[in-house]
Amino acid sequence: MSTITAEVVEAHGLNPEEYARVLSALGREPNLVELGIFSVMWSEHCSYKSSRFHLKKLPTEAPWVICGPGENAGIIDIGDGQAAIFKMESHNHPSYIEPYQGAATGVGGILRDVFTMGARPVANMNALRFGRPDHPKMKHLVKGVVAGIGGYGNCVGVPTVGGETNFHKAYDGNILVNAMTVGVADTNKIFYSAATGLGNPIVYVGSKTGRDGIHGATMASADFGDDIDEKRPTVQVGDPFVEKLLIEACLELMATDAIVAIQDMGAAGLTSSSVEMASKGGAGIRLNMNMVPCREEAMTPYEMMLSESQERMLMVLQPGKEPMAEAIFKKWELDFAVIGEVTDTGHMVLEFDGEVVCDIPLGPLADDAPEYERPYVTAEEYKAWAAVPALGDVPATTDIGADLLKLMGGADLASRKWIWEQYDSQVGADTMQKSGGDAAVVRVHGTQKALAISTDCSPRYCYADPYEGGKQAVAETYRNISAVGGLPLAITNCLNFANPQRPQIMAQIVGCLNGMGDACRALDYPIVSGNVSLYNESKATGGGSAILPTPAIGGVGLLADHDKMATVAFKAEGEDIFLLGGEGTHLGQSLWLKDIGEREGGDAPVVDLNAEAANGATVRGWIGEGKVTAVHDVSDGGLIVALAEMALASGLGCILDGDLTTAQAFGEDQSRYVLTAAAGTVLPGAVKIGSVNGTTVAGVEIAVLREANEAFFRDWMEA
């Protein structure tokens, strides 16, 4: 009698049609090991079965792109025989269940994606989204996630240089933890994952395999119910000290000619790493499961293949190089085991105790995995479903200063000092600027070059108008990188959405991707890597249902000369303040409307991509010529918030040339920058709006603004 019942199939996340495809692929019924392997490889997390059709439409090429999506991370040429390698990944579900380990292993996983390609990691970033601060679980989640990111990143010796943290009730039952790593490699020492060479040894290195993380990929591909605590064993446990050893051992071996292919064991562990390596190389793979280093007794092949234990890598080596490689890994006190070989069968074959326990053709597992064109509603139908209230008449503010003070002291704009003080941003001694300004800037060690890095998304825009929101998320990173003087080169992304089987959610996905694609094409800013995280919604008691559509974007740009880097801080009394890009007119979906008007309504601001490109080029030119002394983009909160942030960074106030209307002060029109320059400077196209002067902004003393800005997190965490 078969052990594969309908209940077993359902428990593995496969629907009846997908199980029928399994039967067809095998020509027989699978055993439990084979079913588990199909389960994780066909999960949303590994196969992108609901998004692949639309992801194919995104622009991924440019003369400076060395490797686009499909490998562990994207690669761009940064000149002088060097490349930047980067990617962003999600660890949302694990971080809600077990915030410290969920966030920590998210950092560990994205680090491996980067150094497995030959890069030394030089910077970590993150994009975090939490529910309402007064939600009973939220303080625990924030503390755990921040501690996990800091605990792992600080110990592994890679600086955490910035990111973003937002709050909204839509994330009450499903927080988002997106981690990004950037590394630098020599272009002639880049490593890929395609397994080739008949008979070449397959080697396992790193930590031993345990029972943690089994079915992690499947769990990450489903929404939450009331059984959330039962899923705790699916969360992996990380060890940053082992990861540091693994980085050094891998980079040491990479300096030789021993490695044919290399892949980290991330989601779905040994299964996904071996399947991806063999399928990319058009080869087959045979593994002896008795040779897998295990840290627990009597582990079965099913457990070994599906475990997501951390700090592990799989390699294909040149024949005869095993002793040299083993010596390196033993020196670094890491496990090393030859567990199989490359074959020409096109199958994954697993042996255990002398018997074949799995024999699956690789095609159906990888390239021929299910791909769905899920139905989605039209833009008009979506707008009716989203039911975003019209903006209507907006009463004028009665006190710009009072509104500014409230905004700067609220959860959305409050200083994230409590968070970033827990991150080591200076290890490596190349951090030039954290992203408390517009973008983080990290020097390319030993050169005049620097990388500018930014993570951005405005989910409330994406909900109101997925297309414009997708455009804006890309444009915001472009603007932030330009504001420090960097040339934006490419992006990675982390596409966080709810259940794609709901046509309205699928409309969010398609709309955001279309907007992202158009922005990338207009800005010559291709997508080179990314991650899709779906089913981010909660059915749990008291949960927050679906998240807002959150296509988080991680942008990377290049400063040819880091000595010309711009910062947001006002520099000197008497300097002129300029606005480039026009005055504020748009209050729809603004923070002012949300936090002061206490409602979310109106259309998202439209992004004019031609203006975005032109204004970015203008600002980069002025920075390069030394014409401007401070630069800040205008985003959340509008012009007056941008000025307040420049004042807080410097301790210098400003006086404006005239009174501002509500929209001029708080409108979130896009493609705009505030700049300062020596008195009397002419900046063609920019409008002089005031001067650096005094100790106030909109009549509010900087000291009062600072206290309000820093009080939110301090008081919340001490309460």
Side-chain angles (χ1 to χ4, degrees):
M1 182 177 170
S2 170
T3 58
I4 308 299
T5 64
E7 290 76 18
V8 172
V9 171
E10 184 180 4
H12 280 75
L14 298 174
N15 63 38
E17 293 77 18
E18 289 169 343
Y19 185 60
R21 289 182 64 159
V22 171
L23 296 177
S24 175
L26 293 177
R28 58 176 171 81
E29 198 171 67
N31 61 35
L32 194 61
V33 176
E34 292 165 335
L35 181 68
I37 288 171
F38 272 105
S39 165
V40 293
M41 290 306 299
W42 286 7
S43 67
E44 288 282 2
H45 198 79
C46 292
S47 74
Y48 297 165
K49 58 190 175 186
S50 295
S51 55
R52 255 188 5 254
F53 176 79
H54 299 284
L55 292 172
K56 293 171 187 173
K57 305 173 188 174
L58 295 172
T60 60
E61 297 179 346
W64 53 90
V65 173
I66 295 173
C67 178
E71 274 290 341
N72 288 291
I75 310 174
I76 58 172
D77 192 323
I78 58 171
D80 308 311
Q82 293 180 303
I85 300 181
F86 57 97
K87 190 182 181 185
M88 198 176 194
E89 276 266 9
S90 62
H91 234 221
N92 304 333
H93 287 54
S95 298
Y96 189 84
I97 298 166
E98 183 58 63
Y100 184 94
Q101 290 296 348
T105 52
V107 174
I110 197 64
L111 281 164
R112 286 193 300 282
D113 277 337
V114 168
F115 76 74
T116 191
M117 301 199 73
R120 179 170 290 280
V122 298
N124 286 334
M125 299 276 286
N126 54 70
L128 312 177
R129 284 172 175 91
F130 297 103
R132 292 166 294 178
D134 59 0
H135 186 281
K137 195 171 182 178
M138 214 49 58
K139 189 193 296 189
H140 162 73
L141 290 171
V142 172
K143 283 185 172 181
V145 165
V146 171
I149 291 170
Y152 204 101
N154 297 353
C155 293
V156 84
V158 178
T160 300
V161 295
E164 54 177 346
T165 303
N166 298 139
F167 297 90
H168 193 281
K169 63 184 179 183
Y171 305 100
D172 280 355
N174 196 129
I175 65 173
L176 301 184
V177 175
N178 297 171
M180 177 179 174
T181 294
V182 181
V184 174
D186 292 336
T187 53
N188 63 352
K189 275 290 183 182
I190 292 170
F191 293 82
Y192 297 96
S193 59
T196 56
L198 180 62
N200 278 351
I202 295 171
V203 173
Y204 171 120
V205 301
S207 289
K208 288 180 168 60
T209 295
R211 291 189 170 96
D212 55 322
I214 293 174
H215 277 300
T218 310
M219 178 272 293
S221 305
D223 47 24
F224 282 148
D226 287 321
D227 60 346
I228 192 165
D229 284 333
E230 297 170 20
K231 295 183 176 179
R232 199 173 303 274
T234 63
V235 179
Q236 312 92 322
V237 178
D239 185 336
F241 298 105
V242 173
E243 182 103 337
K244 173 61 174 171
L245 299 177
L246 190 58
I247 291 173
E248 299 304 330
C250 286
L251 291 176
E252 184 173 336
L253 186 60
M254 285 167 170
T256 74
D257 61 352
I259 298 174
V260 174
I262 181 169
Q263 174 82 28
D264 83 294
M265 295 192 214
L270 187 52
T271 291
S272 65
S273 55
S274 55
V275 168
E276 288 170 12
M277 291 180 82
S279 60
K280 285 175 185 173
I285 195 167
R286 183 189 65 79
L287 302 180
N288 180 353
M289 303 307 292
N290 292 92
M291 301 305 293
V292 174
C294 294
R295 69 167 182 259
E296 299 184 43
E297 294 292 324
M299 287 191 69
T300 65
Y302 179 94
E303 292 171 325
M304 292 181 217
M305 291 303 290
L306 270 58
S307 167
E308 293 185 8
S309 294
Q310 296 293 287
E311 293 90 40
R312 302 179 301 157
M313 312 283 277
L314 201 62
M315 299 181 182
V316 177
L317 297 183
Q318 298 282 4
K321 299 292 186 180
E322 301 95 323
M324 177 188 70
E326 181 172 16
I328 290 173
F329 281 88
K330 293 299 184 188
K331 180 185 80 172
W332 290 100
E333 301 180 347
L334 297 166
D335 274 278
F336 177 98
V338 179
I339 65 169
E341 64 182 6
V342 178
T343 69
D344 59 1
T345 64
H347 280 233
M348 167 187 269
V349 177
L350 309 179
E351 297 174 2
F352 185 65
D353 289 347
E355 296 182 5
V356 173
V357 294
C358 170
D359 187 345
I360 303 177
L362 286 162
L365 283 178
D367 297 338
D368 301 328
E371 179 180 308
Y372 298 124
E373 291 182 49
R374 303 240 187 239
Y376 56 92
V377 299
T378 65
E380 292 73 23
E381 290 168 332
Y382 173 78
K383 196 166 186 178
W385 173 82
V388 176
L391 182 61
D393 292 331
V394 179
T397 179
T398 56
D399 188 334
I400 287 177
D403 288 357
L404 172 64
L405 193 61
K406 184 174 180 181
L407 281 171
M408 297 301 288
D412 289 305
L413 292 176
S415 167
R416 271 52 178 158
K417 182 179 179 181
W418 179 88
I419 295 175
W420 54 252
E421 281 188 337
Q422 298 184 54
Y423 302 154
D424 186 341
S425 63
Q426 301 302 320
V427 63
D430 284 318
T431 303
M432 303 191 68
Q433 177 172 178
K434 295 178 288 192
S435 66
D438 285 314
V441 179
V442 178
R443 181 172 41 224
V444 179
H445 196 76
T447 76
Q448 275 298 110
K449 297 180 297 189
L451 297 173
I453 315 161
S454 174
T455 58
D456 284 289
C457 183
S458 298
R460 64 189 188 279
Y461 295 173
C462 295
Y463 181 81
D465 187 331
Y467 175 74
E468 287 297 336
K471 281 167 59 180
Q472 192 274 340
V474 172
E476 176 76 4
T477 66
Y478 184 91
R479 206 175 307 143
N480 283 339
I481 290 167
S482 296
V484 298
L487 175 64
L489 291 176
I491 68 170
T492 183
N493 60 62
C494 202
L495 307 175
N496 308 274
F497 295 92
N499 187 337
Q501 297 179 56
R502 295 165 57 193
Q504 297 86 358
I505 302 301
M506 199 65 216
Q508 294 176 346
I509 297 171
V510 174
C512 285
L513 286 174
N514 287 343
M516 288 166 52
D518 283 353
C520 289
R521 278 182 283 268
L523 300 173
D524 210 7
Y525 194 35
I527 295 168
V528 296
S529 60
N531 166 245
V532 179
S533 175
L534 305 180
Y535 296 95
N536 286 292
E537 56 184 88
S538 171
K539 295 189 177 76
T541 304
S545 66
I547 65 162
L548 297 179
T550 312
I553 303 297
V556 175
L558 180 68
L559 284 80
D561 181 355
H562 58 62
D563 287 341
K564 295 182 178 179
M565 175 187 74
T567 64
V568 304
F570 290 145
K571 300 301 184 297
E573 288 264 356
E575 291 193 334
D576 288 341
I577 302 174
F578 295 85
L579 176 63
L580 176 68
E583 62 185 28
T585 63
H586 192 96
L587 289 170
Q589 296 302 323
S590 66
L591 272 190
W592 180 85
L593 191 69
K594 173 177 174 285
D595 291 354
I596 307 299
E598 298 183 345
R599 62 189 179 96
E600 294 181 44
D603 295 330
V606 172
V607 182
D608 180 333
L609 293 170
N610 290 328
E612 194 71 64
N615 291 350
T618 296
V619 167
R620 294 193 300 273
W622 287 338
I623 293 171
E625 294 164 12
K627 281 190 172 182
V628 291
T629 54
V631 184
H632 194 13
D633 87 308
V634 179
S635 56
D636 283 348
L639 171 63
I640 203 70
V641 165
L643 291 167
E645 290 170 342
M646 297 173 87
L648 286 171
S650 63
L652 299 171
C654 61
I655 296 175
L656 299 183
D657 291 342
D659 294 334
L660 299 177
T661 66
T662 306
Q664 287 170 339
F666 300 106
E668 295 182 9
D669 306 62
Q670 299 294 294
S671 315
R672 298 191 297 153
Y673 299 81
V674 179
L675 313 103
T676 60
T681 301
V682 176
L683 298 177
V687 176
K688 180 180 175 296
I689 60 170
S691 62
V692 177
N693 225 307
T695 59
T696 66
V697 179
V700 182
E701 287 287 340
I702 294 172
V704 175
L705 270 177
R706 191 180 309 283
E707 171 57 26
N709 193 231
E710 295 182 1
F712 171 79
F713 268 98
R714 183 189 66 219
D715 294 349
W716 184 35
M717 290 302 164
E718 289 177 357

